[in-house]
Amino acid sequence: MEPKSYLRRECLYFDLEVQNKDELLETMVSRLCTFAKIDSPWPAINAVQAREAIGSTGLARGVASPHGIVPGLHQTLVGVARLVTPVDFGASDGQASRHIFLVLSPEDGDGLQHIRAMAEVVQCYKNPGLVKLLDQAKSPDEYWSLLNGCLDD
């Protein structure tokens, strides 16, 4: 699976303003579901919130990776957001998250599609230099180019 097959520019939020984690997740999941022409976002929202209840999806350095396996979904979807005000995802370094990538995956038996999508996108955010550049991006296009450059490596 190529990263570009599930990462779409239409699913990027640049300098998104939200009040809390629930609002963030509902906003991002709803856009992904609209993009994928899914009638109701609630099964996906519930899947992501159920995963959040299990444990932290905060990675470190201001990055979080909320995710869920969604029954009935036919393709992996990834939404990306840079927040104006970071949201607490319980990262081990105690830092609230400003850069969010949300992964929704279909049930595919062994979960391999979900694991691959998570691994490919998370790998980019593990680079502290990239996170700093993403923090400094002045436009959605600059942010998108930086992210795509990482995925092309």
Side-chain angles (χ1 to χ4, degrees):
M1 168 185 2
E2 292 295 315
K4 303 271 171 78
S5 70
Y6 56 78
L7 187 63
R8 300 277 191 243
R9 173 69 173 79
E10 298 89 346
C11 299
L12 167 69
Y13 282 101
F14 184 78
D15 288 350
L16 176 63
E17 294 190 47
V18 294
Q19 300 300 312
N20 55 53
K21 183 169 33 172
D22 286 338
E23 181 185 356
L24 169 65
L25 296 176
E26 289 176 18
T27 299
M28 291 185 74
V29 170
S30 293
R31 179 176 281 184
L32 287 173
C33 288
T34 298
F35 174 78
K37 297 180 177 31
I38 295 170
D39 292 333
S40 173
W42 288 106
I45 291 168
N46 291 336
V48 173
Q49 289 176 332
R51 171 56 189 88
E52 286 296 311
I54 293 170
S56 169
T57 57
L59 299 177
R61 292 189 307 276
V63 178
S65 62
H67 54 278
I69 304 291
V70 183
L73 190 65
H74 300 292
Q75 67 188 63
T76 296
L77 303 170
V78 177
V80 179
R82 183 175 87 176
L83 306 179
V84 171
T85 304
V87 170
D88 184 15
F89 275 85
S92 61
D93 65 357
Q95 189 173 346
S97 299
R98 183 173 189 218
H99 302 282
I100 312 299
F101 71 90
L102 172 74
V103 178
L104 301 178
S105 297
E107 293 177 310
D108 65 351
D110 61 6
L112 192 56
Q113 188 175 5
H114 184 74
I115 292 166
R116 283 184 181 153
M118 291 289 297
E120 289 172 356
V121 179
V122 169
Q123 192 61 37
C124 287
Y125 286 104
K126 289 175 78 174
N127 176 342
L130 176 66
V131 174
K132 186 173 183 173
L133 289 172
L134 291 171
D135 274 331
Q136 297 169 351
K138 304 261 189 277
S139 70
D141 289 337
E142 183 180 357
Y143 193 95
W144 185 249
S145 292
L146 289 164
L147 188 57
N148 269 323
C150 174
L151 291 171
D152 284 339
D153 291 344

